[in-house]
Amino acid sequence: MTKYTTNGDALTELILEIFRINGEMLSAGNEITKPFGLTSARWQVLGAIELAGQPVTVSQIARRMGLARQGVQRITNDLEKLNLVASAPNIDHKRAPLFFLSDEGEKIMTKVNAAQAKWVNALSDGLSTKTLTQSRDLLQTIRERSENLNRKRK
């Protein structure tokens, strides 16, 4: 059996904490979005569309957010039925329409973003911007290294 190095053990502990914080963030996201009839999953897809700043395909949303395309497709279909997103033909790919926020979706996102800002400002109160930035950079590096290792295995 392979034993953990000191770094391997420390990274395993960090990964376990990431799993725990992911659960907490999803729970908090559900609480933030509940008054607007959303879930964290729907908010995540709406947010990805909003962040893109232009119409995007389901595959693009999935790649950018690290989600399964099929799950994003299901959520996007639900959001379209709720009139929170709309679609347009994609001249580059007939079977992959482009999605964008509808007027109603933009209104909802404005409200959700305001609620999230209030929550995140309270959560971040007293934390160091430098530490938060370093933490983000570390997590980004770990994600990128994992992606590279996974590509090599395929």
Side-chain angles (χ1 to χ4, degrees), residues 7-135:
N7 278 357
D9 188 49
L11 184 54
T12 298
E13 290 298 319
L14 177 61
I15 290 167
L16 292 172
E17 190 59 33
I18 290 168
F19 290 158
R20 289 187 285 269
I21 197 167
N22 181 60
E24 174 56 31
M25 293 299 101
L26 290 173
S27 179
N30 285 333
E31 288 299 314
I32 290 167
T33 60
K34 187 177 182 180
F36 310 105
L38 295 176
T39 62
S40 286
R42 288 178 176 178
W43 179 27
Q44 191 172 21
V45 171
L46 287 170
I49 294 169
E50 182 180 53
L51 283 172
Q54 63 185 20
V56 288
T57 65
V58 165
S59 293
Q60 288 171 323
I61 296 167
R63 274 193 306 275
R64 292 174 185 177
M65 300 306 288
L67 301 170
R69 192 203 59 76
Q70 295 87 345
V72 173
Q73 184 66 65
R74 181 186 51 77
I75 293 167
T76 304
N77 292 344
D78 292 345
L79 292 171
E80 193 168 27
K81 288 176 189 169
L82 293 169
N83 194 33
L84 297 178
V85 300
S87 63
N90 182 350
I91 60 171
D92 293 326
H93 196 294
K94 290 181 183 180
R95 292 177 44 202
L98 296 167
F99 290 91
F100 56 94
L101 295 181
S102 65
D103 290 342
E104 186 62 27
E106 288 181 10
K107 289 176 190 173
I108 290 289
M109 285 303 290
T110 297
K111 293 174 184 177
V112 171
N113 289 339
Q116 191 269 346
K118 183 177 178 181
W119 171 82
V120 81
N121 288 342
L123 183 62
S124 65
D125 189 39
L127 299 175
S128 156
T129 302
K130 180 180 178 183
T131 300
L132 291 170
T133 301
Q134 289 172 334
S135 299

